[in-house]
Amino acid sequence: MTAPQAGPAHWAELDQDCVGLVRRARSYLDQIAPLITAADRDGTLPVEVIPGLLDAGFVRGAIGVRDGGLGLSHLQTALLMEEAGRCWASIRTTANILTLVAELLSAAGSDEQKQRFLRPLLAGERMGWFAITEPEAGSDTASLTTLADRLPTGSYRLTGRKAYITNASYGDFGVVLATVDPGLGARGITAFLVEQETPGVRVVARRQLSVRAASCCDVVLDGVVVPAGNMLGDVGRGLSLAMRAVNSGRLNVSAGCTGIAQAALEAASSHAVSRTQFGKPLAGFQLVQQLIADIAVQTNAARQVYQSAARLLDRGADARVECSMSKYFCSEAANQAATKAVQVLGAAGLMEGNVAERLFRDAREATIPEGTSQMQVLQIGRALLGVSAVR
Ligand SMILES: Cc1cc2nc3c(=O)[nH]c(=O)nc-3n(C[C@H](O)[C@H](O)[C@H](O)COP(=O)(O)OP(=O)(O)OC[C@H]3O[C@@H](n4cnc5c(N)ncnc54)[C@H](O)[C@@H]3O)c2cc1C
C-alpha cells in the first residue's frame, strides 16, 4: 500500500514561473531542514539561513524592482510562504516580519532611509523588526501609549514598552509605532526607525510555545532619542502606514498555515502507511482514513482560499475582506489539520522532536498575530453588515 499523492500535485494548477519559483524555494528549504530540531529545541534562529531565503525570493519578492526587489506578484510571494510554512513556521514568520518591514520602508521611506535600511535589509546585511503591540494594547492597537516626545532639537524621545516583538533579539533596527500626543488617539500614532544600539533600547527575549526558533521579545524604550530624520512617513500616519501592509501580512500567514496543513497531511499519511496495528497498516482503518481525508480537505480548501485572495490583490482589488477571510480560515484549518495529524501519530505525535508535535505547536500561534481570529470575524462582519462591533 502506498500513501496518497500528497506531494506537489497542486503545482499542476500553477504556471511555469510559479512552479520554478516554488521548486527553487523548496530545494533551499530542504537544505536547511536538518537545522530545525536543534534550533527549535534551543530556541535559536540560525540567522545564517536568511541570505539564502532572500536569494530564493523571500522578502525581495514583495518589493518593487525600483527599490531593489524582484517585484513578484502577491500569488508568487504567497506560494513562497506556503513552502516556508510546510518546512518550518519559525522561518515563515521570520520572512513575514522582514517582508513587513521592507514593505513599510518601500511605501514610506525617504531615499536616504531606503539606502540606510531597505537596501541592506534586502541584501541580508541588516535585520529589522516591527513593534506596535504593547502589554496593554493588543488587538486595540490605537490605544498604544509609547510616547514620542518632540525635543527642541527636532529629535523625538521614545518612552514605553513593546511586547511580543518577533525577532527583536536578532535585529539591528526596528520600526516602532509611538504617539506624539495621546490626546490625538489614532491620529497621533507615528512610525519611527530605531537603531537598536541607541542608548535606552533594551530587548528581553521570552520563551514561547510556538515558532520557537524565532524570538518573541519585549522591547523597552527608556528615553530613546531618535533623530527627526528617522521618522518613517508623516506625523500621525503610523497606523495607516501599518494598514498598508495588512493585506500582504494576512495573506502570508494564510499561505504559511496552508503549508503547515500540507506538512500535517504528509506526516499523517506517511505514518499511516508505515505503522501497523491489529496486523495491518493504520492506513487500512476507515477511521484513520477519515482523519487523513479531513486534513486533505482542509488543506485543499485553505489553498484555494488564500490563492483566490492573492489573485484578487494581483488584479488590483482592495480584497481586505478576502484577506481577513483567508487569515481566519487558513489559521483555523492549520490548527485542525495539525491536531488530526497528532491523532494519527498517537503518542509518537506528542513527543518532542516529532514533526507533528512541532506543527501542532506552530499552528496554535497562527490565530493570534496579524489580527486574532475574532478580530478577522469582526472585520468580515462589519464589511457584510455595515456595523462595527468594536466601537
Ligand atoms: C508569536 C507572536 C508574534 C508576534 N509578533 C509581533 C510583532 O512582531 N510585532 C507586534 O507588534 N506584535 C506582535 N505580536 C502581538 C500580536 O499582534 C498580538 O498578540 C495580537 O494583536 C493580539 O493582542 P493580544 O495578544 O494582546 O490579545 P488581546 O487583544 O488582549 O485579545 C485577547 C483575546 O480577546 C479577544 N478580543 C480582543 N478584543 C476583542 C473584541 N473587541 N471582540 C471579541 N474578542 C476580542 C482576542 O481575539 C483574543 O482572543 C505577536 C504575537 C505572537 C503570539
Side-chain angles (χ1 to χ4, degrees):
M1 190 179 296
T2 55
Q5 177 61 42
H10 54 277
W11 290 1
E13 289 180 24
L14 305 175
D15 66 28
Q16 283 312 302
D17 284 352
C18 289
V19 171
L21 191 72
V22 290
R23 202 183 290 286
R24 284 191 296 279
R26 185 173 286 201
S27 153
Y28 180 65
L29 292 162
D30 285 347
Q31 272 177 52
I32 66 174
L35 301 173
I36 296 176
T37 304
D40 215 52
R41 182 194 60 221
D42 300 342
T44 50
L45 183 70
V47 287
E48 67 275 11
V49 307
I50 291 175
L53 287 174
L54 300 171
D55 288 342
F58 289 94
V59 191
R60 281 182 198 151
I63 303 303
V65 176
R66 252 183 53 188
D67 280 334
L70 302 172
L72 299 182
S73 66
H74 288 283
L75 178 63
Q76 288 171 321
T77 53
L79 288 167
L80 289 174
M81 288 294 177
E82 182 185 333
E83 285 306 310
R86 172 182 171 273
C87 173
W88 192 2
S90 296
I91 286 299
R92 196 277 309 154
T93 201
T94 295
N96 197 30
I97 291 294
L98 291 174
T99 302
L100 168 63
V101 172
E103 284 180 339
L104 298 181
L105 283 162
S106 176
S110 64
D111 287 347
E112 187 274 333
Q113 288 171 342
K114 288 179 182 177
Q115 284 304 327
R116 204 153 40 106
F117 297 99
L118 179 58
R119 297 274 173 172
L121 188 150
L122 296 180
E125 294 158 9
R126 299 202 73 174
M127 198 165 155
W129 37 272
F130 173 75
I132 184 167
T133 307
E134 299 179 356
E136 301 305 326
S139 301
D140 186 8
T141 46
S143 68
L144 65 81
T145 57
T146 294
L147 191 62
D149 224 0
R150 191 162 192 273
L151 302 174
T153 56
S155 297
Y156 286 82
R157 185 174 50 218
L158 305 190
T159 308
R161 187 181 192 104
K162 296 293 179 181
Y164 315 118
I165 308 308
T166 299
N167 286 341
S169 56
Y170 297 107
D172 56 65
F173 74 96
V175 177
V176 173
L177 267 65
T179 176
V180 293
D181 179 352
L184 290 175
R187 285 176 296 114
I189 296 174
T190 306
F192 295 91
L193 289 156
V194 176
E195 296 278 6
Q196 203 138 329
E197 61 188 17
T198 315
V201 178
R202 188 163 58 88
V203 174
V204 184
R206 301 170 65 175
R207 293 282 289 177
Q208 59 178 335
L209 174 76
S210 306
V211 291
R212 280 192 178 157
S215 67
C216 196
C217 306
D218 280 1
V219 178
V220 181
L221 302 155
D222 187 7
V224 177
V225 177
V226 177
N230 278 24
M231 185 185 290
L232 181 61
D234 297 325
V235 174
R237 303 293 296 161
L239 267 192
S240 56
L241 175 62
M243 290 311 282
R244 287 184 68 158
V246 82
N247 276 343
S248 55
R250 289 177 181 171
L251 194 59
N252 287 341
V253 175
S254 310
C257 285
T258 306
I260 289 179
Q262 175 68 38
L265 176 60
E266 293 172 25
S269 302
S270 89
H271 185 78
V273 294
S274 59
R275 166 88 169 162
T276 299
Q277 289 293 284
F278 301 98
K280 64 178 186 177
L282 296 180
F285 299 115
Q286 290 175 344
L287 295 177
V288 174
Q289 288 191 4
Q290 165 99 62
L291 289 167
I292 292 176
D294 284 348
I295 301 173
V297 171
Q298 291 281 15
T299 307
N300 192 32
R303 185 170 289 124
Q304 300 304 324
V305 170
Y306 92 72
Q307 293 191 2
S308 156
R311 288 191 169 99
L312 277 177
L313 286 177
D314 283 331
R315 285 205 291 274
D318 171 69
R320 186 159 293 184
V321 177
E322 287 76 7
C323 289
S324 271
M325 289 178 174
S326 174
K327 204 271 175 177
Y328 176 42
F329 185 84
C330 296
S331 58
E332 297 289 347
N335 273 281
Q336 291 171 30
T339 300
K340 286 181 173 163
V342 168
Q343 195 64 24
V344 172
L345 271 89
L350 291 173
M351 295 300 114
E352 200 173 331
N354 185 287
V355 65
E357 182 259 357
R358 176 169 54 82
L359 295 169
F360 179 78
R361 283 189 292 99
D362 286 350
R364 193 62 206 82
E365 170 256 13
T367 62
I368 295 174
E370 302 273 354
T372 64
S373 286
Q374 289 69 32
M375 297 317 287
Q376 307 303 337
V377 167
L378 296 185
Q379 191 145 354
I380 296 162
R382 186 177 59 188
L384 292 175
L385 303 169
V387 185
S388 170
V390 180
R391 285 200 174 90

